[in-house]
Amino acid sequence: MSFRMPNSNAKFHCNHRGGQEAGRRELVSRSLQSAQHCLEDQDFGTAYAHYLLVLNLAPELKTSVKETFQFTLFKWAEELDSLARIQDLFNCYEQALELYPNDEVICNSMGEHLFRMGFRDEAAGYFRKAVKLNPDFADAKENFYRVANWLVERWHFIMLNDTKRNLTYLKAIENAVRSGCKSVLDIGTGTGILRVSLVVTETVDAGLFGEGIVESLIHAWEHLLLQPKPKNQDVSAGDYGRVIPASATIFGMAVECREIRRHHRVGMQEVAGVCLSNSVQFFSPTYASAGSEETVEPYTTEKLSHIPGGYRPLTEPCQVMTVDFNDLQELKNLAARKPWMLSLPVTEGGILDAVVVWFVLQLDDEHALSTSPSEETCWEQAVYPVQGLLDYSVKTGDTVMMEVCCQDCYLKIQKISSLTSECGMDVSDRDDMLSLGNEAELCQALAGLQTTSKQDGNGQGCVLESTEIALLNNVPYHECFKAAMGKVLLSLNRSKDLQSMDVDGHGSGMNLQESQNKSCVDVAPDPLYILDVSEGFSILPIIAGKLGPVRAYSSIEKEQHQAALNVISEANHFPKETLEFWLSHLEDESVVLQRPKSDKSWSIIILDVIETSGLIQQEVMEKAAISRCLLHSGGKIFPQYVLVYGMLVESESLLLESAVQGTEPTLGFNIAPFINQFKVPVRVYLDLSTLPCLPLSKPAELLRLDLMNPLLNSSSREVKVQICKSGQVTAIPFWYHIHLDEDHSLNTSDESSHWKQAAVVLDKPIKVQAGDELVLDIQHHKSNISITVKR
């Protein structure tokens, strides 16, 4: 433990005001000494109380004891947090901020506690204050950017920059006001307390109902709006209530899409020599029958026009349903409506990966907005991945069948399957299927589903995040780790064999081969210890277990995931002790990086350095420092080092996703200065292969992060970049080459990568000509990388 102690011999400048002043000095001096002793005994609570007394009695000491007071506060707060004394924790911070109201370090720490406890709005306020107090405070900047991404999702900027959307709504509202609507309520921006003649709302997501538009409008019709216009009666517009949008029509079609497939279905039986047992079925959280509490939404979303690898329609677009937002009874009936079957004839053969959905929003009789994949709008499309079938291939003449319902006012498309043309079902009368009118054919269809597309009922289901499924499908990742781990284990086993021989080569008279043979016959080889603390579901410990005498420890927490790994381990005929779950050995997750036994060290420690979002994992360099102390001689941290690459690009779309661009897209309203306070300079979850951009330079190495040799790291670096094409530099996308060792590396921008990329978006574009040279100033602090451009 290292900290700077306060100067207990601090001199008090006073004018000898008698015994009272002398008593104050004595009390302060004794309290400082007591605080120091408490710190040495790690009694942080008592030390904190002493410092409070000192600072209240002697405010003139605020500067000299500030650093040690901060240290004491943070340590005591950690204890209070671990004891779940949350109110006491925040009381301490409030006391500290009364003494140091403009201290950015205390503000930032307060924000971190609030954020961890889920108070994101409050946390954002403290992070923002810390950044205002010290714009160069890297920790606070990174924290503010992360919480800003939570509070103001990037689609808000895209939506406000969508001129067509804004203008169409404006025209529909103008029409309504001209026709007599005098009182207008916008649902989705505030609280309404009057009865009104017009409600305007755009509380729709990619699946139309996901933001609660149905529930909101039921409440509005019952409590806020005037009565709806009677049918077939000519009355003044101002005398009845109406809603913008007036109605919506939902469309859907079946598609083949490799990118959706690799994020929602495990596509192989074997990965890097590990058999993925048929006893485990992996599903993504969108799978309706997975029965997992992790299933948050019945669909995911994608911008199909920009999806990597593109997509291929397998059916024509089909009308799924319509909804009239001006009909209260229809809105009420929606949630109670029974599920109905929908059939889509296959027009082109392929692999059935998903049903994608979009809608046309009819604002009024004249104005409509479409979220179709062929339209460039701020909306993505809703995607219902197909999972749990034995056969995903379809051919022309087959039929894609699905069940549609609006349970919980969510549009759900489930039980998606294919019906082969050989089943003999006549699907020409589509209306019967839509209305459940033809019961005989429906029963025949369901029977066909059970025989031709039956889900494999054997084995347990295991729900993984879509990024975890994409990781399982990433073959180069697993092959690379297998080769690099094998190299380390071979090296360590050789060194053990050499140590077991007589030093001068005589003694027992055995050569290396004989020694190895003897160890195989007589004595079980001493296992090497491997710890995998990478994020999420990982089969790396099982891959390691196939490489020799190994004890592999996994840091997986979820019981469902542990059970799946155990089944896979058994299917690969591992001894039971080969795989252990490390967190079950520990009382506290914070000591996950420790030795497996008092006399053993780790041969390999696997760390996650890069988040799937494209950013560096938080505290990874601190974890690497701990890991280096726990390694066996000759042991390795994976990865050993990471190279950061970047290039200069011109990208209008990145600007539109990062900040509101002036007043033109918002129709003259000056919204930008307010919402742009929450803009962040780094865009995450990008895919460079489909990012609309013009490269203005070649890729350049920006930074090296070495986990095995920190002396090779630099916190600051300047990189010269040659401009190869004229244009405006608006952003710097960056990605990583992850080097497990000198011979084995992974590129996070590869086609097979489960990682996405990120980009720094410049505040102001920089005009450049071919042949110019720009200097990039790279700053690395903890997990935060900042990139600024110099001429």
Side-chain angles (χ1 to χ4, degrees), residues 669-729:
F669 294 103
N670 196 23
I671 296 170
F674 304 99
I675 194 167
N676 285 354
Q677 293 180 72
F678 289 94
K679 73 177 182 180
V680 295
V682 178
R683 279 282 289 117
V684 294
Y685 287 108
L686 295 175
D687 200 298
L688 289 185
S689 67
T690 58
L691 177 69
C693 70
L694 177 68
L696 302 179
S697 77
K698 292 180 179 177
E701 183 184 318
L702 304 181
L703 194 67
R704 178 186 174 112
L705 302 175
D706 203 299
L707 281 72
M708 283 294 289
N709 190 350
L711 296 176
L712 296 177
N713 292 330
S714 170
S715 61
S716 180
R717 187 172 183 232
E718 288 194 345
V719 178
K720 291 181 179 177
V721 180
Q722 191 85 20
I723 300 297
C724 61
K725 196 161 193 173
S726 300
Q728 286 197 111
V729 179

Side-chain angles (χ1 to χ4, degrees), residues 741-758:
D741 57 29
E742 292 295 343
D743 302 319
H744 303 96
S745 67
L746 296 159
N747 183 346
T748 65
S749 67
D750 276 350
E751 184 183 12
S752 61
S753 171
H754 63 284
W755 289 287
K756 295 297 185 182
Q757 296 82 54

Side-chain angles (χ1 to χ4, degrees), residues 491-658:
S491 167
L492 291 175
N493 278 318
R494 278 179 176 163
S495 68
K496 281 201 306 183
D497 289 334
L498 289 170
Q499 288 167 12
S500 70
M501 295 176 64
D502 197 25
V503 176
D504 61 5
H506 300 289
S508 66
M510 286 192 301
N511 61 25
L512 178 59
Q513 186 62 48
E514 288 171 335
S515 172
Q516 287 173 329
N517 290 341
K518 180 172 176 58
S519 70
C520 291
V521 174
D522 298 339
V523 183
D526 194 24
L528 297 170
Y529 290 81
I530 294 177
L531 175 63
D532 178 12
V533 289
S534 55
E535 298 283 323
F537 186 84
S538 170
I539 62 167
L540 294 180
I542 299 180
I543 293 174
K546 298 203 75 167
L547 298 174
V550 160
R551 291 286 292 277
Y553 290 81
S554 166
S555 63
I556 281 177
E557 297 179 64
K558 296 177 182 175
E559 288 183 10
Q560 186 189 53
H561 293 178
Q562 291 183 1
L565 268 194
N566 274 329
V567 170
I568 295 170
S569 183
E570 289 169 18
N572 285 273
H573 311 296
F574 285 175
K576 196 162 188 181
E577 64 274 7
T578 301
L579 174 67
E580 294 198 37
F581 297 104
W582 189 225
L583 291 179
S584 62
H585 292 255
L586 308 176
E587 293 181 7
D588 183 1
E589 282 182 36
S590 64
V591 292
V592 66
L593 289 167
Q594 68 175 27
R595 301 179 200 279
K597 290 182 180 177
S598 58
D599 60 335
K600 296 292 179 186
S601 298
W602 299 110
S603 301
I604 295 173
I605 297 177
I606 301 168
L607 299 178
D608 242 349
V609 180
I610 310 301
E611 295 179 3
T612 51
S613 67
L615 297 179
I616 294 173
Q617 288 275 7
Q618 289 187 299
E619 299 182 354
V620 71
M621 301 312 288
E622 292 87 338
K623 288 178 183 174
I626 297 170
S627 299
R628 287 192 295 272
C629 304
L630 305 176
L631 286 177
H632 186 280
S633 174
K636 301 288 184 186
I637 298 171
F638 283 162
Q640 291 182 37
Y641 65 94
V642 174
L643 300 179
V644 185
Y645 282 83
M647 66 177 178
L648 308 179
V649 301
E650 179 176 337
S651 174
E652 179 70 16
S653 69
L654 277 181
L655 290 179
L656 296 176
E657 293 169 14
S658 302

